[in-house]
Amino acid sequence: MAKVHLWASLRRFADGQEVVEVEAATVGQMLDALERAHPGLAPAIKAGLSVAVDGEVIANNRAAPVKPDSEVYLLQRLKGG
Amino acid sequence: MARDDVKTGYKYVGTRPNRPDGLDKVTGRARYGADFSLPGMLHAAVVRSPHAHARIVRIDASKALALEGVKAVVTRADLPTGLTGEDLNLQDNTLAGDRALYDGHAVAAVAATSPLLAQDAARLIEVEYEVLPHVTDVDAAIAPDAPVIRPGVADYSVPEGMHGNVARYMEFGHGDVEAGFAAADVVREHTYRTEATHQGYIEPHAAVGQLGEDGRGEMWVCTQGHWYIRRMCSAVLGIEAANLRVTPSEIGGGFGGKTTIFMEPLTLALSKKAGGRPVKLVMSRSEVLRATGPTASASMDVKIGMKRDGTITAGQVYFRMQGGAFPGMSPIGEALPCAFACYDIPALKHEGIEIITNRPKAAAYRAPGSPMAAFAVESMIDELCRELGLDPIEVRLKNGARNGSKSSYGPVYDVIGLQETLEAAKAHPNYSIPLGPNQGRGVASGFWFNHGGETSVSLAIGEDGTATVSIGTPDIGGSRASIGLMVAETLGIPYEDVRVNVVETGALGVNEPTHGSRATFASGKAAVIAAEAAIREMCKRAAAEWGIDADAVEWKDGAAHPAGPNAGKFPPMTIGEIGAKMGSTGGPISGHHEVTAGGYGASFGTHVVDVEVDPETGRTTVLRYLVVQDAGTAIHPAYVEGQYQGGAAQGIGWALNEEYIYGPDGRLQNPVFLDYRIPVASDLPMIDTVIVEVPNPGHPYGVRGVGETGITPPLPAIASAIAGATGARIRSLPCSPPKVLAAIKALKKG
Amino acid sequence: MSRIHVTATVNGDPVEFLADPRETLLDALRNHLDLTGTKEGCGTGDCGACSVTVDGTLVCSCLMLAAEANGKRVETIEGMARDGLHPLQRKFIEHAALQCGFCTPGILVAAKALLERNPDPSETEIRYWLAGNLCRCTGYDKIIRAVQDAAAEMRQDHRGAA
Ligand code: FES
Ligand code: FES
């Protein structure tokens, strides 16, 4: 299962957990699984998130692959100038 | 070392040819936003709130409409209702609803047969206001007695009990910071402040819009992203995206400020009301400064622990940022992850809040959030270095992020070039030039994520073997040239045989703007993949002619060749020969690529600046300036240097002069270039550059994106140089002469 | 408001137009004569994007009324290339002295006026002469180098011709 790291201020929406393990083959599946497991995360996911999968920051691509042993970090959606 | 000195095996990549749009731009032929006109065109002007916060009681346009030649007036009542979220924010910013939220907020717009007439008419539109309490300062806005500007603005992230002007809250980190501070020899804690600044592009926003009764429209506009313009205008006006065709003009600078809409929908709304006549709207400079999207102002607490040997044991920040009267606009979400991005520190804690104030809706500005964060953290690290007598580059080499470091914001860095920039800065002659009296040297590093994003590119082979590339990212600083070089390299044809055009929204799939340093990276990557698709097709055509398998054909030097002796003996078939025959060999040959581009590599830079401070006046003169930055690969080194130099100049302006000054009445006091003073030629020295190249494995030619990082280090580097020259540490930008003088005097008294 | 009939010479061509008394020379060039190469960056005399010469004097066309141009000789960016590009124009392209290019017409017109007065300006002289021409993109480095290089070439040509 992929390990999804939540930033500290998100943890209160996920029963205080720092890392949530989810079954997912893509970023989209991962986000959906997170939301199912912890509905309190829905507003954060809806507001827009970037994720880093195994070091690579993915700004916005639900199809990007997630491996069973992937380390995923949730980040705030990043903007550029 | 510049690419020119490195053997790379590339023929075109890394050279410095003339840019394709150069001739038009030196002869005045290039058409920017305000240069476009249409038959029957009307001109518009905007009525703006003189109050920082006011209820709009009544708008009476009857006198204006009575003027001969005035064709239409629009107010919020003319826009559709029922929008939500960011669409509603965009609409609220386009035209105020029941309340004006900042000085300069648009309240009504008018179209007339000439610009002067439109301005006359705007003055005749009567608006009755009921003035409300306001707040413009980031810290004052969360004082207990501050008026709550927009009740209910807080999103899901804001914990109970915070001030009503807090819109977002964020916390993240790793390790045990308290243990980290306990392990340090010195722990220091200070608050740093930066004022809001403006991107300061010299071209004011301008658009010509036309919208008919049938809901079909067109727009010509200066923008960093015309698909964003299309989406946002469609949302604000309730029309379908496909019915709005947006063509970008040449763009006179953007730096993030032209990635969104401000007055653009007004041209369409006015046009529709005026029977479909096209409407041109050009902002004045003071409108640009008052009512477009400056960056946030910030107030930042920093605590860092360091050992005597320079090891950083822990870091902690609490950032407060205001992005104007609308939520989601401050770069708090970028500033926090940028704060310690240059370091590998075992324990970090980041916290931050976004605050709403009566200021204009902030927009992105070059590496949004990173310069403020760097000012706070890099200044503090410099303070510690000076206190402990440590060399600032050595301390950064020791603690700096490297390949495989876990970044401050979570993920692990792949291949990055921070250490290389530090080594190059240390080795550069500027770092060892002896300093005179009243002179000081400052060093700082900077970071930007870079970005990929939605990208669509198409490429067509011409009948004569040339190539036309259609891209959707407006060219602000030479990206057509660099994309042309990469396509020439890939196809093996001369750079002059490749023409790269920025095309309108009808011609390609959706493209994100030129932002996040992505144009050369993402459009370039897609163009290379599109060229490879065309090459595959051309190999197929040659194979068919030769009667061999397509796999037995290889492409080199602009021609199809039989791959090895077994493929058969045929003379190479050039791209020109294939192009000339394509109609009879299967039809047009093209390639295209659509992707949300990944694989962008983080960008790091290190700057070294020497200043001299006049002890009588507090005026700072920049004596020499060095930018070292990792480009990945410099496709067109001259424009890479240009990005470094331009970013440094903007950062120097932010450090020394530029600031938004609001009076107690909540009005912007310096909305002209005379008072909002950006650096002029006589303020600056030559800006030395070193292009470090640590190729990005996520791009076919190793590109990282070079646009943004350069604005980040100057803020702390200059403040640190001033500290070196005077002993006085300025923790609140800008380091204006009166502030520096006061600090010097305080030191003497001290 | 009654309009004023203005006749002038622009880039060597005779022109005439009707100006509102409040219109600037910049407005007239751009809106009446379709010479949009001259840019408006501020309208208050602070940015130099609107630089032109009037009877040989460098002015901000946003600060001069159109009616004042009556009978005058106006030179704009569109008139700078005569027999091919002016050396300054060529050097600006070669040195990558423009990014967005919006400041470029004004800077070229101003730099040409400088080199006509001072064929061998120092770096400092160039910086102070161009201090009224804002460029937000380049940090000025490549602009200064392009002007220096164009000046050197023009001195060479001048010597060659003499
Ligand atoms: S437009 Fe004339 S000086 Fe700026
Ligand atoms: S090149 Fe953009 S303002 Fe000078």
Side-chain angles (χ1 to χ4, degrees):
Chain A
M1 296 229 274
K3 285 195 173 66
V4 184
H5 297 251
L6 308 183
W7 70 74
S9 46
L10 273 188
R11 293 175 198 155
R12 66 192 155 98
F13 304 111
D15 308 323
Q17 291 183 73
E18 182 178 347
V19 179
V20 179
E21 301 212 347
V22 297
E23 202 80 64
T26 65
V27 167
Q29 288 174 12
M30 183 270 294
L31 293 174
D32 294 346
L34 263 185
E35 197 173 323
R36 269 196 308 277
H38 301 286
L41 289 171
I45 293 172
K46 190 158 163 276
L49 292 172
S50 297
V51 301
V53 180
D54 300 323
E56 188 186 335
V57 181
I58 295 160
N60 179 24
N61 182 3
R62 287 177 58 89
V66 173
K67 292 197 286 291
D69 60 341
S70 281
E71 292 268 349
V72 181
Y73 282 84
L74 298 188
L75 308 167
Q76 298 235 350
R77 170 72 52 85
L78 301 168
K79 289 193 289 275
Chain B
M1 198 185 302
R3 158 69 65 179
D4 291 4
D5 310 324
V6 181
K7 274 273 170 291
T8 63
Y10 295 137
K11 192 162 175 192
Y12 302 107
V13 164
T15 62
R16 301 171 181 241
N18 290 346
R19 64 195 278 170
D21 49 326
L23 183 59
D24 282 352
K25 286 183 173 166
V26 300
T27 53
R29 279 200 296 267
R31 284 202 295 181
Y32 294 83
D35 300 341
F36 198 85
S37 291
L38 283 173
M41 189 176 76
L42 301 172
H43 298 267
V46 177
V47 180
R48 296 183 181 278
S49 168
H51 305 295
H53 194 194
R55 191 176 316 287
I56 297 168
V57 179
R58 190 179 57 92
I59 303 174
D60 181 357
S62 54
K63 287 198 186 115
L65 284 165
L67 271 189
E68 209 178 333
V70 173
K71 300 295 178 187
V73 170
V74 296
T75 66
R76 183 60 178 274
D78 295 290
L79 303 186
T81 55
L83 277 61
T84 57
E86 180 56 15
D87 290 346
L88 177 58
N89 288 334
L90 288 167
Q91 193 183 47
D92 268 337
N93 198 37
T94 303
L95 277 176
D98 57 347
R99 283 188 306 152
L101 294 167
Y102 58 90
D103 167 40
H105 197 169
V107 172
V110 53
T113 50
S114 81
L116 285 172
L117 187 59
Q119 284 160 28
D120 289 343
R123 275 188 285 273
L124 290 175
I125 295 177
E126 292 167 7
V127 185
E128 190 185 321
Y129 297 97
E130 176 197 333
V131 175
L132 300 170
H134 69 270
V135 63
T136 53
D137 178 79
V138 61
D139 286 322
I142 50 169
D145 60 340
V148 174
I149 297 163
R150 307 184 75 178
V153 78
D155 78 359
Y156 73 93
S157 63
V158 179
E160 295 275 321
M162 285 199 167
H163 193 284
N165 287 330
V166 175
R168 263 196 293 169
Y169 168 77
M170 203 179 164
E171 184 203 333
F172 63 90
H174 63 253
D176 181 345
V177 285
E178 290 315 321
F181 290 132
D185 293 314
V186 184
V187 178
R188 292 287 173 262
E189 198 173 353
H190 289 295
T191 299
Y192 299 82
R193 290 174 60 97
T194 60
E195 238 322 322
T197 54
H198 195 275
Q199 299 84 354
Y201 33 80
I202 309 299
E203 179 199 32
H205 297 253
V208 177
Q210 186 272 320
L211 184 62
E213 274 302 310
D214 58 359
R216 287 173 191 268
E218 288 210 49
M219 184 181 283
W220 295 264
V221 58
C222 60
T223 177
Q224 290 175 246
H226 34 308
W227 278 270
Y228 269 31
I229 294 275
R230 184 179 76 162
R231 170 165 61 74
M232 294 174 180
C233 286
S234 303
V236 165
L237 299 171
I239 57 179
E240 293 81 30
N243 280 334
L244 183 59
R245 179 179 174 200
V246 184
T247 305
S249 67
E250 291 295 329
I251 174 171
F255 314 108
K258 291 177 182 166
T259 55
T260 183
I261 55 166
F262 297 102
M263 55 55 182
E264 290 80 0
L266 297 175
T267 63
L268 297 168
L270 286 165
S271 171
K272 186 160 182 200
K273 248 192 153 177
R277 286 176 73 169
V279 173
K280 182 191 273 194
L281 181 43
V282 182
M283 284 181 127
S284 69
R285 177 54 52 184
S286 66
E287 285 181 294
V288 170
L289 288 167
R290 285 168 73 205
T292 60
T295 187
S297 58
S299 164
M300 301 166 286
D301 306 332
V302 184
K303 183 175 178 184
I304 294 177
M306 194 183 272
K307 289 194 173 163
R308 266 179 228 299
D309 69 355
T311 306
I312 302 173
T313 57
Q316 182 175 334
V317 295
Y318 195 113
F319 288 178
R320 294 164 295 274
M321 290 186 148
Q322 69 74 32
F326 296 85
M329 301 322 294
S330 85
I332 188 81
E334 288 79 15
L336 288 171
C338 288
F340 291 103
C342 292
Y343 296 93
D344 190 342
I345 300 174
L348 289 175
K349 182 173 176 188
H350 311 74
E351 251 185 301
I353 52 177
E354 169 173 273
I355 297 164
I356 301 295
T357 63
N358 292 111
R359 292 201 192 200
K361 187 175 193 273
Y365 179 17
R366 208 168 197 158
S370 193
M372 301 84 151
F375 177 63
V377 169
E378 291 290 89
S379 289
M380 167 67 87
I381 287 173
D382 191 76
E383 293 188 48
L384 288 164
C385 290
R386 285 181 201 272
E387 183 176 342
L388 295 172
L390 299 168
D391 178 274
I393 292 188
E394 294 301 339
V395 166
R396 285 172 175 81
L397 281 167
K398 190 184 191 87
N399 297 281
R402 47 189 85 228
N403 297 353
S405 291
K406 181 184 165 70
S407 70
S408 59
Y409 53 100
V412 170
Y413 291 125
D414 186 9
V415 180
I416 59 170
L418 173 64
Q419 297 283 333
E420 287 80 352
T421 68
L422 289 163
E423 292 290 358
K426 191 167 92 172
H428 194 277
N430 281 21
Y431 197 57
S432 42
I433 294 175
L435 294 168
N438 302 316
Q439 297 183 355
R441 177 164 297 150
V443 175
S445 294
F447 161 83
W448 183 243
F449 306 93
N450 287 335
H451 184 51
E454 286 162 76
T455 310
S456 169
V457 165
S458 101
L459 173 149
I461 304 296
E463 303 88 323
D464 57 354
T466 57
T468 309
V469 186
S470 300
I471 59 169
T473 43
D475 176 357
I476 312 191
S479 53
R480 274 169 294 198
S482 54
I483 291 167
L485 283 167
M486 287 185 274
V487 169
E489 188 78 49
T490 308
L491 290 175
I493 62 176
Y495 165 76
E496 291 71 24
D497 286 0
V498 180
R499 176 155 183 168
V500 183
N501 298 314
V502 181
V503 299
E504 44 103 353
T505 52
L508 286 176
V510 171
N511 274 276
E512 267 180 50
T514 297
H515 67 170
S517 299
R518 76 178 209 95
T520 297
F521 170 79
S523 284
K525 186 172 174 176
V528 168
I529 296 172
E532 286 165 352
I535 287 172
R536 277 195 301 280
E537 182 60 26
M538 291 190 285
C539 287
K540 224 193 272 172
R541 303 284 171 101
E545 284 281 298
W546 293 332
I548 64 174
D549 208 48
D551 292 343
V553 178
E554 66 177 8
W555 190 264
K556 56 174 195 256
D557 298 333
H561 299 253
N566 294 342
K569 247 190 163 342
F570 303 99
M573 194 181 291
T574 65
I575 188 169
E577 290 163 353
I578 297 171
K581 280 192 281 196
M582 65 188 168
S584 60
T585 60
I589 297 173
S590 62
H592 58 97
H593 191 63
E594 292 77 26
V595 69
T596 296
Y600 44 101
S603 159
F604 292 89
T606 299
H607 293 198
V608 179
V609 57
D610 291 351
V611 305
E612 181 167 324
V613 179
D614 181 342
E616 306 290 310
T617 63
R619 182 171 189 274
T620 300
T621 304
V622 179
L623 300 173
R624 54 189 79 85
Y625 202 99
L626 169 66
V627 180
V628 186
Q629 190 178 316
D630 174 19
T633 299
I635 303 296
H636 192 308
Y639 289 103
V640 172
E641 292 161 4
Q643 289 297 319
Y644 292 3
Q645 292 164 335
Q650 281 185 320
I652 293 168
W654 200 338
L656 289 177
N657 302 313
E658 295 177 37
E659 62 177 319
Y660 264 47
I661 303 170
Y662 280 93
D665 58 0
R667 291 184 187 159
L668 184 62
Q669 309 220 310
N670 56 339
V672 286
F673 271 144
L674 189 64
D675 300 322
Y676 182 89
R677 196 173 176 288
I678 72 173
V680 305
S682 54
D683 291 335
L684 297 175
M686 291 299 189
I687 298 173
D688 303 323
T689 57
V690 176
I691 302 176
V692 166
E693 295 188 295
V694 179
N696 169 24
H699 185 279
Y701 291 107
V703 169
R704 281 184 193 273
V706 295
E708 289 170 282
T709 305
I711 195 175
T712 297
L715 285 65
I718 290 205
S720 298
I722 291 172
T726 65
R729 173 66 58 172
I730 309 293
R731 299 197 184 96
S732 142
L733 293 184
C735 302
S736 55
K739 207 185 278 177
V740 174
L741 191 59
I744 296 172
K745 285 203 174 127
L747 212 61
K748 282 197 185 127
K749 271 203 213 110
Chain C
M1 212 170 298
S2 71
R3 303 210 163 198
I4 301 166
H5 182 224
V6 179
T7 59
T9 309
V10 177
N11 300 327
D13 296 333
V15 300
E16 56 182 312
F17 55 88
L18 290 174
D20 183 297
R22 296 174 295 169
E23 267 175 323
T24 64
L25 173 59
L26 175 62
D27 295 332
L29 289 169
R30 292 180 53 85
N31 300 338
H32 295 313
L33 302 173
D34 288 332
L35 292 169
T36 54
T38 306
K39 304 301 180 197
E40 175 163 343
C42 68
T44 51
D46 299 317
C47 79
C50 63
S51 299
V52 300
T53 60
V54 176
D55 285 349
T57 303
L58 183 64
V59 301
C60 288
S61 61
C62 72
L63 293 184
M64 179 171 164
L65 290 172
E68 293 177 280
N70 195 34
K72 299 277 202 301
R73 198 165 41 78
V74 180
E75 295 286 335
T76 72
I77 185 66
E78 286 92 343
M80 193 159 167
R82 287 285 153 89
D83 307 314
L85 292 182
H86 188 279
L88 279 163
Q89 292 174 306
R90 239 183 325 101
K91 291 299 176 190
F92 266 57
I93 300 177
E94 280 172 32
H95 284 265
L98 52 136
Q99 282 177 32
C100 79
F102 195 79
C103 66
T104 308
I107 291 189
L108 285 169
V109 167
K112 178 166 174 271
L114 167 64
L115 298 189
E116 278 161 6
R117 274 158 198 75
N118 179 355
D120 191 5
S122 67
E123 181 191 331
T124 305
E125 285 170 325
I126 298 172
R127 286 188 181 277
Y128 277 90
W129 182 270
L130 293 180
N133 290 82
L134 301 181
C135 173
R136 189 58 155 174
C137 299
T138 63
Y140 305 102
D141 184 301
K142 292 182 189 301
I143 291 174
I144 306 300
R145 289 179 204 274
V147 174
Q148 288 173 322
D149 196 16
E153 184 184 292
M154 287 164 72
R155 290 194 302 273
Q156 201 70 39
D157 286 358
H158 191 73
R159 253 177 254 133

